[in-house]
């Protein structure tokens, strides 16, 4: 990497922070599910737990790397100011007007010179990273709460606290706020070197529009699918291709699958399975006809079924900018 090249520095910064900010893929989710109790409910444990010594070391390295890269961008920007005829104070003003950047500079200086700092602090709050932990993290897409078990991860998070151990903000908000401030500065003063920033923001704008459209569709789908009154019982022998079905366990009434029947099965065969594409988790199932309570969605016009199918298809096959 050319340390004097602002565009290279921005690319490396994005590489260091993007996964953490967007999804925090720290560990695969580990699920333990209890058996249903008499009320038909069950408990799920997500396997967060305490960090191991190695995980804590890796977490400290991750935070140190991100904070160091954000703090050290200050000098690269000052060098760019000099070559572009701008005052270096412009960079200092940007930092002083951004609470997140002030915290970043203080935390980075404390790592280099010791805590608490003897020199004057930017924030005046003696900030430090504390309470490093695992948290359940899922993609923030409308409707994806129903796909928690397949999309969830145990993510990395921590607190920023002051010298009195008072909470200031999450590390995630710290990283996002500081990154955004540097982005604004670069776009304003060095537009020719900000292509990566502009491309990233264009993708985020597209994602926001897509998520708003999906949220609107979700409201329509909920009216059709989420209302129990829209479902009526149906016998296994009456089920046929393209029906929108819901299967429940006959003993517990627990919903096993909700979706569209994929193909025709042998008529009047109690031993046959029902092939269903479960729209709530995006997976195919083969469910035995027996020992199930089958229900069919009553609002089954072609237009309504198309709306439901397209919504869930888009949800599980999002465009690249929405992943």
């Amino acid at each position: 990497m050319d340390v004097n090249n602002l565009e290279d520095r921005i690319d490396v910064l994005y590489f260091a922070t993007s996964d953490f900010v967007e999804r925090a893929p720290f560990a695969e989710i580990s699920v333990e599910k209890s058996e249903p109790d008499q009320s038909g409910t069950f408990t799920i444990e997500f396997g967060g737990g305490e960090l191991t010594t190695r995980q804590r070391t890796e977490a400290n390295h991750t935070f140190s790397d991100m904070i160091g890269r954000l703090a050290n961008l200050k000098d690269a920007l000052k060098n760019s100011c000099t070559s572009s005829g701008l005052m270096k104070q412009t960079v200092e003003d940007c930092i002083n007007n951004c609470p997140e950047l002030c915290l970043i500079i203080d935390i980075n200086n404390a790592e280099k010179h010791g805590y608490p700092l003897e020199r004057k602090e930017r924030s005046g709050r003696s900030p430090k990273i504390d309470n490093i932990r695992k948290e359940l993290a899922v993609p923030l897409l409308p409707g994806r709460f129903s796909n928690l078990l397949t999309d969830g991860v145990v993510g990395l998070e921590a607190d920023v606290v002051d010298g009195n151990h008072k909470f200031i903000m999450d590390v995630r908000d710290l990283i996002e706020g500081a990154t955004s401030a540097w982005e604004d500065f670069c776009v304003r003063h060095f537009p020719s070197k900000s292509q990566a920033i502009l491309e990233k923001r264009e993708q985020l704008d597209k994602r926001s529009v897509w998520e708003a459209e999906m949220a609107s569709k979700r409201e329509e789908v909920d009216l059709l699918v989420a209302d129990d009154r829209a479902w009526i019982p149906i016998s296994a022998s009456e089920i046929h291709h393209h029906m929108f079905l819901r299967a429940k366990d006959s003993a517990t009434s627990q919903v096993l699958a909700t979706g569209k029947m994929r193909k025709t099965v042998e008529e009047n065969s109690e031993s046959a399975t029902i092939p269903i594409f479960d729209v709530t988790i995006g997976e195919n199932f083969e469910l035995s006809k027996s020992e199930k309570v089958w229900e069919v969605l009553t609002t089954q016009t072609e237009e309504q079924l198309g709306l439901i199918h397209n919504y869930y298809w888009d949800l599980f096959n999002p465009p690249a900018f929405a992943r």
Side-chain angles (χ1 to χ4, degrees):
M1 180 184 75
D2 181 356
V3 295
N4 293 320
N5 186 307
L6 181 59
E7 293 166 285
D8 285 352
R9 298 291 290 265
I10 292 171
D11 285 342
V12 173
L13 172 63
Y14 279 166
F15 182 81
T17 62
S18 61
D19 278 347
F20 171 76
V21 168
E22 293 175 8
R23 195 164 188 242
F26 187 64
E28 291 297 324
I29 192 168
S30 175
V31 179
E32 294 182 6
K33 185 174 71 172
S34 68
E35 292 298 319
D37 60 23
Q38 292 181 347
S39 67
T41 62
F42 54 86
T43 303
I44 296 176
E45 297 292 340
F46 292 102
E50 295 294 325
L51 292 169
T52 65
T53 300
R54 180 176 179 80
Q55 287 173 336
R56 189 170 296 279
T57 299
E58 291 174 348
N60 280 319
H61 173 76
T62 297
F63 291 137
S64 178
D65 183 49
M66 290 187 295
I67 289 170
R69 291 187 185 283
L70 282 163
N72 294 335
L73 198 57
K74 174 188 71 171
D75 294 325
L77 289 170
K78 284 186 174 181
N79 291 336
S80 294
C81 283
T82 300
S83 61
S84 301
L86 294 173
M87 297 290 291
K88 291 185 178 181
Q89 184 60 37
T90 308
V91 178
E92 297 291 339
D93 292 341
C94 176
I95 296 171
N96 294 331
N97 289 326
C98 175
E100 291 86 357
L101 281 176
C102 288
L103 293 169
I104 287 283
I105 298 297
D106 287 344
I107 293 171
N108 189 62
N109 282 336
E111 181 167 315
K112 292 188 294 185
H113 305 294
Y115 182 90
L117 285 172
E118 296 182 359
R119 64 174 64 185
K120 183 179 179 180
E121 297 177 333
R122 298 267 187 167
S123 66
R125 304 190 68 174
S126 300
K128 60 182 178 180
I129 305 298
D130 192 35
N131 189 26
I132 300 174
R133 60 193 181 274
K134 299 177 185 178
E135 286 189 351
L136 179 64
V138 291
L140 301 179
L141 297 177
R144 289 308 281 269
F145 64 84
S146 61
N147 203 20
L148 180 67
L149 302 186
T150 54
D151 281 354
V153 292
V154 178
L156 181 63
E157 184 57 278
D159 299 334
V160 182
V161 299
D162 65 14
N164 296 316
H165 210 74
K166 183 178 179 181
F167 177 81
I168 300 175
M169 65 178 66
D170 291 327
V171 165
R172 189 174 305 276
D173 293 333
L174 176 74
I175 300 300
E176 288 179 329
T179 301
S180 180
W182 280 145
E183 287 176 340
D184 289 341
F185 184 89
C186 291
V187 170
R188 183 182 307 115
H189 297 292
F190 310 114
S192 63
K193 300 179 180 180
S194 302
Q195 188 60 35
I197 296 172
L198 296 173
E199 289 176 357
K200 175 192 172 188
R201 292 190 166 183
E202 181 182 3
Q203 295 299 304
L204 290 175
D205 288 343
K206 288 181 179 179
R207 176 171 179 160
S208 295
V209 171
W210 181 82
E211 289 182 348
E213 292 174 347
M214 291 296 288
S216 178
K217 290 179 183 178
R218 177 59 190 253
E219 292 180 3
E220 297 182 67
V221 170
D222 279 348
L223 291 174
L224 297 173
V225 177
D227 188 349
D228 283 336
R229 295 170 298 179
W231 298 88
I232 60 173
I234 186 173
S235 67
S237 61
E238 295 176 297
I239 295 173
H240 59 77
H241 194 199
H242 291 314
M243 274 188 170
F244 201 84
L245 303 169
R246 185 164 71 177
K248 294 181 177 180
D249 186 286
S250 58
T252 65
S253 296
Q254 178 184 346
V255 176
L256 303 174
T258 301
K260 190 175 181 181
M261 184 174 174
R262 304 196 319 271
K263 60 184 178 182
T264 302
V265 297
E266 182 181 348
E267 294 292 335
N268 302 318
S269 172
E270 288 299 321
S271 62
T273 58
I274 302 295
I276 288 183
F277 174 73
D278 191 326
V279 296
T280 64
I281 59 174
E283 294 184 6
N284 291 316
F285 284 91
E286 296 281 343
L287 296 178
S288 169
K289 281 187 177 182
S290 60
E291 299 181 356
K292 306 290 187 303
V293 174
W294 293 96
E295 297 174 333
V296 64
L297 190 65
T298 57
T299 51
Q300 287 201 84
T301 67
E302 185 175 341
E303 181 180 1
Q304 289 167 334
L305 285 178
L307 170 65
I308 296 169
H309 176 79
N310 290 336
Y311 169 76
Y312 283 107
W313 175 263
D314 291 343
L315 189 64
F316 291 103
N317 298 276
F321 57 76
R323 293 170 189 164

